[in-house]
Amino acid sequence: MKQFDLLIGNGEDWLRPQVLSGLRLQRGANAAAVLDFAVLKNGMLNFLEGAPVRLLVDGQVIFAGRVFAKKRSQPEIIQVRAYDQLRYLQNRDCCVMQDFSPGDLLRRICSENNLQIGTVADCGVRLSAHSFDNRRYLDMLGEVLNEVWQAKGSRYFVYDEAGKICLRSCWDLRVNILLAENCIGGYEYATSVDGQTFNRVKVIYEDKRKGLRKEFVAENRERIDDWGPLQLVSKSADARQQTYSRARELLQAYQRRQESLVVRDAPGDWRVRGGGMVGLRLNLGEQLVDCWALVKRAEHRIVAGNCLMNLNLECIY
């Protein structure tokens, strides 16, 4: 059985409160990790928002962050929510980058916000000039990492590892475990073309001063025959994005049906996080999958001293 320790900082001291059942750690891809827990109030326990929090498993730091919210439904029970450093990447800013890599952008963000930085992978791509206006840091990073994906077919993710912000590929974050029907509590597989699926894209360029308007349309006739017309209209303020090439790029991104796969109550493994990979072998009814799966979000729960996890997955065929 694993040894779990939760520590809350109070000045120079670390408090070890009595943690009630229901501790939950959620780690999504390119998102701040969220630690929810409830502690029993006693005379020694005194902490405020901003207090540092550490979750250790067998002596290893699994989560390092700060308290952001406290709530009470009973006088002696405090429900707490803490985030890791990626919470600060939800801040907005304006910046201009030229001839840069995703790692350069991440290092600049961390330097300007006094955030600790760890391993930063070389994504192998230099990007041209980008101007970000009142954008979240996570959105800036997501945009440039998506460009790397389109250029190289490689997926990279930002995450916090024990108090240091890192950038690594999904293959570097893979965990060599196999999820199959005989070792999980269940799964839910769903497909849909209702929402973020489009088979026709219209990009509109408009210059009101010159009285100029152009439309660039890209469509997939086969998908239109299958699903009927599902149209996306893009009218970007950036003139460079208003082209037929942009319409084709958007069509390529959105012309497929959406799939979601949630695996429930799998044996817990604290190495599994959003942006990583796990092995998957399941009969989904429509298809048999035996592949690596990208973890879009991992939820770890401690139940009776044991860890279970629910995973949102994307199959990588």
Side-chain angles (χ1 to χ4, degrees):
M1 182 176 292
K2 300 285 187 180
Q3 175 64 43
F4 302 98
D5 289 301
L6 187 127
L7 306 176
I8 301 177
N10 183 10
E12 297 182 355
D13 299 324
W14 286 97
L15 307 174
R16 184 179 276 106
Q18 180 180 346
V19 181
L20 305 180
S21 61
L23 183 145
R24 181 177 63 172
L25 174 61
Q26 300 178 76
R27 297 189 288 195
N30 287 340
V34 187
L35 181 66
D36 291 302
F37 59 92
V39 294
L40 191 63
K41 170 66 175 174
N42 58 34
M44 296 289 294
L45 186 62
N46 183 28
F47 64 94
L48 298 173
E49 291 80 2
V53 176
R54 301 288 184 271
L55 175 64
L56 290 80
V57 178
D58 290 343
Q60 179 183 358
V61 178
I62 300 300
F63 172 91
R66 291 182 180 272
V67 172
F68 269 76
K70 299 163 59 182
K71 182 172 65 174
R72 297 194 190 209
S73 54
Q74 302 177 46
E76 70 278 9
I77 297 177
I78 307 174
Q79 295 176 314
V80 183
R81 168 162 285 190
Y83 294 94
D84 66 15
Q85 283 191 113
L86 261 65
R87 171 61 178 79
Y88 302 110
L89 300 193
Q90 294 184 26
N91 293 340
R92 292 177 176 270
D93 203 349
C94 303
C95 72
V96 177
M97 299 288 293
Q98 296 187 13
D99 186 27
F100 69 104
S101 70
D104 294 334
L105 177 59
L106 179 61
R107 280 184 281 264
R108 173 174 172 173
I109 291 170
C110 290
S111 175
E112 292 181 353
N113 291 274
N114 196 30
L115 302 175
Q116 296 297 311
I117 196 163
T119 302
V120 177
D122 179 3
C123 300
V125 173
R126 304 292 298 182
L127 302 168
S128 60
H130 281 59
S131 177
F132 301 104
D133 184 18
N134 192 25
R135 299 281 301 280
R136 295 193 319 156
Y137 291 126
L138 281 173
D139 293 335
M140 298 180 195
L141 290 163
E143 179 178 319
V144 299
L145 293 176
N146 189 58
E147 291 185 32
V148 171
W149 182 20
Q150 292 180 359
K152 292 189 60 181
S154 302
R155 301 178 77 166
Y156 289 83
F157 295 91
V158 179
Y159 66 98
D160 185 300
E161 183 170 24
K164 293 185 177 181
I165 297 180
C166 302
L167 171 64
R168 299 179 71 189
S169 80
C170 60
W171 293 104
D172 290 332
L173 294 173
R174 65 187 173 200
V175 178
N176 191 24
I177 61 174
L178 178 64
L179 302 179
E181 292 180 51
N182 62 352
C183 68
I184 63 174
Y187 72 87
E188 181 178 291
Y189 174 65
T191 60
S192 173
V193 296
D194 183 19
Q196 293 301 305
T197 298
F198 302 97
N199 47 32
R200 176 189 291 150
V201 174
K202 181 183 293 187
V203 172
I204 299 175
Y205 173 76
E206 192 170 35
D207 188 331
K208 293 184 178 179
R209 290 186 307 168
K210 297 180 179 180
L212 180 64
R213 177 186 171 91
K214 293 183 179 179
E215 294 184 357
F216 305 93
V217 178
E219 62 182 16
N220 184 323
R221 291 303 313 174
E222 182 179 348
R223 292 288 184 262
I224 292 175
D225 290 341
D226 289 340
W227 305 326
L230 301 171
Q231 180 167 285
L232 170 69
V233 174
S234 174
K235 192 177 181 181
S236 172
D238 186 348
R240 295 171 302 175
Q241 295 292 313
Q242 295 168 319
T243 64
Y244 181 58
S245 294
R246 179 57 176 166
R248 287 183 296 180
E249 289 175 5
L250 290 171
L251 179 65
Q252 184 65 29
Y254 288 107
Q255 66 181 347
R256 60 182 59 86
R257 69 177 184 174
Q258 303 299 304
E259 297 181 88
S260 66
L261 174 60
V262 179
V263 170
R264 305 190 188 283
D265 295 333
D269 189 318
W270 294 97
R271 298 173 297 169
V272 177
R273 63 170 68 242
M277 306 277 283
V278 294
L280 182 67
R281 183 180 296 155
L282 284 179
N283 182 352
L284 300 180
E286 294 183 359
Q287 57 186 317
L288 299 173
V289 296
D290 189 352
C291 63
W292 286 101
L294 175 72
V295 180
K296 298 168 70 175
R297 188 174 70 87
E299 177 189 273
H300 299 267
R301 295 174 292 116
I302 297 177
V303 179
N306 295 310
C307 178
L308 296 174
M309 59 186 182
N310 296 338
L311 305 177
N312 289 54
L313 301 173
E314 176 184 329
C315 295
I316 307 297
Y317 297 103

